[in-house]
Amino acid sequence: MALKILLVNKFYYPRGGDCVVMMNTENLLLSAGYEVAVFAMQYPQTVDSPYKKYFASEVDFGGGMGAKIKGVKRTLGMGDIEASFMKLLDDFLPDVGHLHTVPSHLSPVLAKIAHNRGIRVVWTLHDYKLLCPAYSCMRDGRPCEICYFDKTGVLKHRCMKGSMAASAIAWVEAKKWNRKTLESYTDAFVCPSEFLASKMQQGGFDASKLKVLCNFVDPEKLELLRNTDGNGRDSYYCYIGRLSEEKGVRTLLEAASKSGHELRLAGGGPLEDELKAKYAHCSNIIFLGHLDAVGVASLLSKAKFSVMPSVCYENNPLGVIESLCAGTPVVGAEIGGIPELISAETGITFESGSVEALSTSIEMAMNRSWQHQNIKNASIERFSPKTHLQKLLKIYEAQ
């Protein structure tokens, strides 16, 4: 009998990478003939689902005092969350509970409930929340690991939005759902990168429960990338992503301003207006704004290469994966999970945050003859839904 799988994420609409991965996983499993249910939080943008009636009520940490109290209770697994989840378990009877991002808006109590029902609990980690109460392992623009063993760091440095109240909630949540507790309820933690797995192990998590499984490209987008002409390239390079501090776009634009090569940037974010004004005099720097999937595929298919200049602990960035699936090599920062996606044949890595190192790498990439079609063929196989599904099922079925 085929496995019955329950997928869980705090939001059920394409809000961020975790949501997209969860929804893509749902479609992948359904297309392979598995029976799949979903559980999330009620939210105005939530997409329709036959399981929507089971979803937990909305919590809003930015609301009034009553909303904040409800939010705090939710992080601790109190309130109506247990009743909502147990009703779905009673009706669906899953074999596997596959959690994605559940802290705060849902609660790790879901792992406890499923485990106590004899359901295999698999948890995909999309961020560093189980190590860092503020999710990012970043402080003052640099990687930070002080909370791996001492969670009081989040209080000392007010890491949650610069707020003592928000940081206190994060600290209480981390103490409640500590490593020992989470390990006791979770059968396997899926780490999309070797880097994240190494950090989880550094934080004391049992290595035998850490399973590395790279993200995949959803079939529709993969088909777009597959159908692009991998050989006809223009002389520009590109960046696709958020224009924000942790993405290293300041380093990128400073390097680009010193080069005569054309850089095209797709995406928006908090630094967009500032950077547009600062580099308005640079005719070789072109801001394209947000692009849809077709626009991204077109941009990548003609670029000489793309750049991933992050200064944060990137986990398993889809920006790198999608670029490679378009046959477009990547100049990537040596930080987080970026380097493990790039080989000598598919790109160049450079010291994160170094304008000089990035400038040198850009020149090297521009002057090199890349085997674009070979990059595309190998990457499409490596990051295909079929390859991902085979590995995911082994994690589901392990004893």
Side-chain angles (χ1 to χ4, degrees), residues 253 273-285 287:
L253 290 176
D273 291 340
E274 176 191 339
L275 294 177
K276 280 183 175 179
K278 182 175 181 178
Y279 294 99
H281 66 286
C282 296
S283 60
N284 65 312
I285 298 177
F287 293 88

Side-chain angles (χ1 to χ4, degrees), residues 67-243:
K68 284 184 171 63
I69 291 173
K70 181 179 179 181
V72 173
K73 291 174 66 176
R74 174 67 59 82
T75 68
L76 301 178
M78 301 165 62
D80 60 356
I81 185 72
E82 290 196 29
S84 301
F85 193 58
M86 287 195 289
K87 176 61 174 172
L88 177 53
L89 296 184
D90 289 340
D91 291 350
F92 183 66
L93 300 175
D95 301 297
V96 176
H98 186 170
L99 311 184
H100 287 262
T101 302
V102 298
S104 303
H105 291 83
L106 289 178
S107 171
V109 74
L110 304 183
K112 175 182 178 180
I113 296 169
H115 172 81
N116 290 342
R117 291 285 191 100
I119 299 166
R120 180 169 174 79
V121 178
V122 174
W123 190 338
T124 292
L125 306 176
H126 296 277
D127 51 45
Y128 297 87
K129 176 66 172 176
L130 303 191
L131 298 170
C132 167
Y135 292 90
S136 65
C137 290
M138 290 283 289
R139 180 167 58 87
D140 298 330
R142 297 180 179 181
C144 173
E145 300 179 358
I146 63 173
C147 282
Y148 282 18
F149 292 100
D150 182 5
K151 306 303 182 188
T152 58
V154 70
L155 290 172
K156 180 179 178 181
H157 300 287
R158 301 190 181 192
C159 296
M160 287 296 290
K161 306 175 182 178
S163 164
M164 178 56 76
S167 298
I169 293 171
W171 176 76
V172 170
E173 182 181 25
K175 296 293 286 184
K176 167 74 174 180
W177 305 111
N178 56 63
R179 177 189 58 78
K180 185 177 180 180
T181 298
L182 295 177
E183 280 190 330
S184 69
Y185 301 136
T186 306
D187 296 287
F189 294 99
V190 177
C191 303
S193 66
E194 294 281 359
F195 180 83
L196 176 54
S198 72
K199 289 301 175 185
M200 288 288 287
Q201 196 168 346
Q202 180 183 333
F205 281 81
D206 183 353
S208 69
K209 290 194 173 189
L210 303 175
K211 311 299 179 182
V212 177
L213 178 58
C214 187
N215 289 326
F216 68 96
V217 182
D218 76 84
E220 288 187 10
K221 186 171 288 187
L222 191 66
E223 198 60 25
L224 278 174
L225 298 171
R226 188 197 305 272
N227 291 333
T228 59
D229 180 2
N231 292 313
R233 298 283 165 165
D234 291 337
S235 59
Y236 69 84
Y237 63 109
C238 68
Y239 167 81
I240 300 171
R242 185 169 167 79
L243 301 180

Side-chain angles (χ1 to χ4, degrees), residues 293-346:
V294 175
V296 168
S298 177
L299 179 66
L300 285 171
S301 70
K302 296 298 182 183
K304 179 83 172 180
F305 59 91
S306 69
V307 182
M308 180 64 67
S310 301
V311 294
C312 65
Y313 282 168
E314 292 280 5
N315 184 358
N316 188 233
L318 281 171
V320 174
I321 293 172
E322 291 175 2
S323 181
L324 297 176
C325 287
T328 306
V330 178
V331 172
E334 294 169 349
I335 194 168
I338 296 174
E340 67 197 68
L341 294 172
I342 301 171
S343 68
E345 291 73 34
T346 63

Side-chain angles (χ1 to χ4, degrees), residues 20 34 45 79 166 173 180 197 209 262 272 298 365 377:
V20 171
Y34 290 89
Q45 285 79 28
E173 182 181 25
K180 185 177 180 180
K209 290 194 173 189
E262 183 177 314
E272 183 174 4
S298 177
N377 294 341

Side-chain angles (χ1 to χ4, degrees), residues 237-292:
Y237 63 109
C238 68
Y239 167 81
I240 300 171
R242 185 169 167 79
L243 301 180
S244 54
E245 295 288 355
E246 75 279 3
K247 295 300 182 181
V249 289
R250 291 190 188 278
T251 304
L252 172 59
L253 290 176
E254 187 62 21
S257 69
K258 301 177 184 299
S259 164
H261 304 300
E262 183 177 314
L263 167 65
R264 300 182 185 181
L265 301 99
L271 299 182
E272 183 174 4
D273 291 340
E274 176 191 339
L275 294 177
K276 280 183 175 179
K278 182 175 181 178
Y279 294 99
H281 66 286
C282 296
S283 60
N284 65 312
I285 298 177
I286 301 172
F287 293 88
L288 302 174
H290 175 74
L291 297 180
D292 61 16

